[in-house]
């Protein structure tokens, strides 16, 4: 199992324990002699904790419609390569295939993530899940319902969930939803909302999870700017 050392990037902490550790099953059991495992709380969260949590949640979304297609794995592979590179993606898919054969207690897994992972990182998990669900060009109803379950049990606020959702499902008024404001908001209120969201979604918020995650977080940050520029253009204010 030494080949997984790079993917978990510094060892597993709290993800080694509890429901997530149970879902990882064989991988965790075989990792004792080959990787650095440190059972820690939130202060010791590693990139490995975050990425293993992501893989478990990705599996839950993929299994939501009762079947896992090769095309879905291909889409996940493409998305992960874009975010984490070829080598890590190959290792991740090996772990993911094992997780897909296991029962996933979604509520318990999300509760563990809520207790151990900071809020900004939970928002980044949601952003990844939407990106992967949309990788085939459309987010199926079953996938959306599973992501809705995940956000609820992870303790994410509904306004933040709707903000991230609107980055991918751009219905009428999506730009306002991204900024978490109403269409009746004044220009000054819109500017204030933009500054607030830019801080909330800044990539530095997840810098401790490593350059890969921080780089991927820039996409979420850019969506906030895109929404703001769209509203500015519509309203013609500087």
């Amino acid at each position: 199992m030494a080949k997984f050392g790079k993917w978990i990037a510094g060892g597993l902490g709290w993800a080694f324990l509890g429901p997530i550790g149970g879902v990882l099953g064989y991988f965790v059991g075989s990792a004792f002699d080959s990787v650095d495992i440190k059972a820690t709380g939130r202060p010791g969260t590693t990139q490995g904790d975050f990425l293993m949590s992501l893989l478990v949640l990705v599996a839950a979304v993929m299994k939501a419609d009762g079947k896992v297609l090769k095309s879905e794995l291909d889409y996940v592979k493409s998305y992960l390569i874009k975010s984490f590179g070829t080598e890590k993606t190959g290792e991740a898919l090996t772990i993911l295939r094992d997780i897909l054969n296991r029962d996933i207690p979604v509520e318990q897994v999300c509760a563990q993530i809520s207790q151990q992972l900071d809020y900004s990182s939970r928002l980044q998990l949601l952003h990844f899940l939407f990106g992967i669900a949309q990788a085939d060009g459309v987010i199926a109803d079953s996938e959306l319902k599973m992501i809705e379950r995940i956000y609820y049990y992870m303790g994410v606020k509904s306004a933040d969930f709707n903000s991230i959702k609107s980055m991918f499902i751009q219905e009428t008024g999506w730009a306002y939803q991204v900024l978490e404001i109403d269409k009746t908001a004044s220009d000054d209120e819109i500017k204030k909302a933009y500054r607030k969201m830019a801080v909330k979604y800044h990539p530095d918020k997840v810098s401790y999870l490593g350059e890969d995650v921080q780089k991927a977080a820039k996409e979420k940050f850019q969506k906030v700017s895109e929404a703001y520029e769209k509203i500015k253009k519509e309203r013609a204010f500087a």
Side-chain angles (χ1 to χ4, degrees), residues 93-126:
L93 290 177
T94 299
I95 299 170
L96 179 60
R97 290 188 180 95
D98 183 67
I99 297 173
L100 286 168
N101 291 321
R102 299 177 179 276
D103 293 329
I104 301 174
V106 175
E107 182 175 348
Q108 293 92 329
V109 164
C110 291
Q112 184 181 7
I113 292 171
S114 177
Q115 292 169 4
Q116 301 291 353
L117 198 60
D118 67 86
Y119 196 74
S120 294
S121 298
R122 280 179 271 158
L123 294 180
Q124 187 58 41
L125 278 177
L126 278 179

Side-chain angles (χ1 to χ4, degrees), residues 157-173:
K157 298 176 183 177
S158 58
D160 290 328
F161 169 77
N162 289 326
S163 173
I164 295 174
K165 174 184 174 183
S166 296
M167 296 177 184
F168 295 90
I169 303 176
Q170 296 186 350
E171 300 172 338
T172 303

Side-chain angles (χ1 to χ4, degrees), residues 4 7 24 52 54-60 62-63 68 72-73 76-77 80 89-102 104 132:
F4 296 114
W7 172 248
L24 292 175
M52 290 303 167
L54 173 62
L55 290 181
V56 172
L57 295 180
V58 166
M62 291 179 68
K63 288 160 63 83
V68 176
E72 291 177 319
L73 280 172
V76 170
K77 179 180 179 180
L80 291 177
T89 295
E91 298 168 358
L93 290 177
T94 299
I95 299 170
L96 179 60
R97 290 188 180 95
D98 183 67
I99 297 173
L100 286 168
N101 291 321
R102 299 177 179 276
I104 301 174
I132 289 172

Side-chain angles (χ1 to χ4, degrees), residues 10-15 17 38-50 112-119 121 207-209:
L12 288 174
W14 53 264
L17 306 171
K38 302 174 182 177
T40 62
R42 182 178 296 179
T45 296
T46 68
Q47 188 187 66
D49 295 317
F50 178 86
Q112 184 181 7
I113 292 171
S114 177
Q115 292 169 4
Q116 301 291 353
L117 198 60
D118 67 86
Y119 196 74
S121 298
S207 61
Y208 79 99
L209 293 174

